[in-house]
Amino acid sequence: MDHWLPTLPWWTFVVRGAIAYVGLLALMRMAGRHSFGEMSAFDIIVLVLVGGTLRTAIVGEDNSLCGAFIGVTTVLVIDRLFAWAATRSPAFNRLVEGKPTTLVRDGQLLQDELRRHDVSMPAFERSLRKRGVVDARDVAEARLEPNGKITVIRQSDTRG
């Protein structure tokens, strides 16, 4: 029975889960992580380490099944609340998700933006090739979206 019931009051898991969620969201935004849309080996390592570290922050020394479920449920509920708020408030959405960044404008590659967002040239070129574009000069606009994906509009698509 010891492994079923939490050793702390239920609300401590809720508070700790909420703080962990908001804190991690803030840290990821400050670190410039848009998402793990196209995960590299580095992203996977960060994800595993963050998850393991935050487990302790949420449940502490409690090893009960109930405590873990309360913590996870809290994180999922807060995620849904943030998603709900983001769909209803553009300002909140920008705060949580960020804004898109233009990487190419009218065929001109904006190297400073690539560097500022830690997008390597090989990764950017892969994104272009996925969309059938060989050269940035053929791009009307390419953006790094808030979700971490790169969207590309070809010059030919803008000419009608």
Side-chain angles (χ1 to χ4, degrees):
M1 197 65 170
D2 291 343
H3 296 291
W4 292 95
L5 299 175
T7 57
L8 299 169
W10 67 269
W11 56 266
T12 59
F13 301 106
V14 171
V15 170
R16 292 170 87 164
I19 291 170
Y21 181 91
V22 172
L24 180 59
L25 181 63
L27 288 172
M28 297 302 271
R29 291 281 294 124
M30 286 188 291
R33 291 276 182 219
H34 292 275
S35 80
F36 292 98
E38 293 180 19
M39 294 197 331
S40 69
F42 300 112
D43 296 330
I44 294 168
I45 290 168
V46 168
L47 187 63
V48 169
L49 291 175
V50 165
T53 303
L54 284 181
R55 180 218 175 273
T56 304
I58 295 171
V59 297
E61 296 298 318
D62 185 278
N63 290 319
S64 70
L65 189 60
C66 191
F69 274 102
I70 293 170
V72 169
T73 300
T74 299
V75 168
L76 294 175
V77 167
I78 290 174
D79 185 61
R80 294 303 310 144
L81 289 173
F82 272 46
W84 180 87
T87 60
R88 285 155 182 80
S89 167
F92 185 74
N93 186 52
R94 271 190 310 280
L95 175 71
V96 173
E97 284 195 22
K99 297 182 289 186
T101 301
T102 302
L103 303 175
V104 175
R105 183 178 293 118
D106 297 323
Q108 296 296 311
L109 184 63
L110 305 175
Q111 289 279 356
D112 290 344
E113 294 301 321
L114 286 172
R115 269 192 296 282
R116 191 164 71 88
H117 292 283
D118 297 323
V119 178
S120 70
M121 206 53 207
F124 179 69
E125 289 168 344
R126 268 193 310 275
S127 291
L128 291 181
R129 286 191 301 274
K130 280 183 188 176
R131 284 136 190 101
V133 177
V134 178
D135 194 310
R137 291 177 290 204
D138 298 328
V139 174
E141 184 175 63
R143 289 183 176 189
L144 177 62
E145 301 292 347
N147 65 2
K149 304 278 187 200
I150 295 175
T151 57
V152 177
I153 300 171
R154 296 177 221 208
Q155 297 279 9
S156 60
D157 294 342
T158 61
R159 293 186 197 124

